[in-house]
Amino acid sequence: MKSFTVHFHKEDQVQAMNVQKLSEEDFQKMTEGGTRHLFELDTNVGFFVYFDAEDSVGKESYLVLHYEEENEDPSACYSFELKDFYQFAALYLNDLEFYEETDEEKEEDYGPVHHLAHLMYHIVEDGNKIEV
């Protein structure tokens, strides 16, 4: 597991975020006690699966799997602090209430889920520089 800090644009209104990129072994250990799938996000930078997990002694982790294109195996797994993971969930849930228009109009507006995708773009870009 390797830690790194993601710095966002000032306009993103998000403080620097500490992220951990997990190896397959780290992932296995952190999910030994089970996982709970929360939501998914399909973007132009990949497909993301958000979930929480417990290790064998009950320690909780807040994880995101990143899949690129049509790959069946994830290209990366990231672990986040609860406060940051909560922000992701809040953006996702806010998007569900943000739109009351048709789907065509939804794609034109920059809403909470677009902001979440933008944040994930920065995380993936910085995470690509990290080898685990």
Side-chain angles (χ1 to χ4, degrees):
M1 174 175 3
K2 297 227 176 142
S3 296
F4 62 100
T5 302
V6 179
H7 299 276
F8 299 97
H9 300 127
K10 183 179 179 183
E11 310 80 60
D12 294 333
Q13 298 179 357
V14 176
Q15 294 179 351
M17 190 177 291
N18 295 317
V19 181
Q20 295 177 323
K21 188 172 182 179
L22 308 180
S23 67
E24 191 169 334
E25 183 180 317
D26 297 326
F27 176 82
Q28 295 301 325
K29 287 179 184 176
M30 292 176 93
T31 60
E32 276 182 319
T35 62
R36 181 174 54 176
H37 178 268
L38 300 172
F39 62 95
E40 300 170 351
L41 181 65
D42 194 4
T43 73
N44 60 349
V45 295
F47 184 76
F48 299 91
V49 178
Y50 297 77
F51 62 103
D52 57 14
E54 283 189 356
D55 65 11
S56 61
V57 295
K59 181 181 178 205
E60 295 177 347
S61 297
Y62 309 96
L63 308 172
V64 177
L65 287 173
H66 174 229
Y67 294 84
E68 293 179 309
E69 298 174 11
E70 299 299 320
N71 293 335
E72 289 187 24
D73 294 326
S75 57
C77 182
Y78 300 102
S79 175
F80 297 90
E81 295 175 12
L82 177 58
K83 67 179 181 60
D84 298 324
F85 195 80
Y86 181 83
Q87 184 171 354
F88 298 155
L91 286 168
Y92 182 79
L93 292 172
N94 281 336
D95 192 69
L96 298 176
E97 297 177 8
F98 185 74
Y99 296 104
E100 293 182 7
E101 308 98 286
T102 67
D103 287 335
E104 287 178 40
E105 292 169 338
K106 182 177 180 176
E107 291 180 14
E108 295 173 11
D109 293 334
Y110 184 85
V113 79
H114 297 99
H115 189 60
L116 175 56
H118 177 75
L119 298 179
M120 296 311 299
Y121 167 79
H122 286 294
I123 292 163
V124 168
E125 284 295 303
D126 287 358
N128 285 339
K129 301 171 190 169
I130 308 296
E131 292 292 325
V132 288

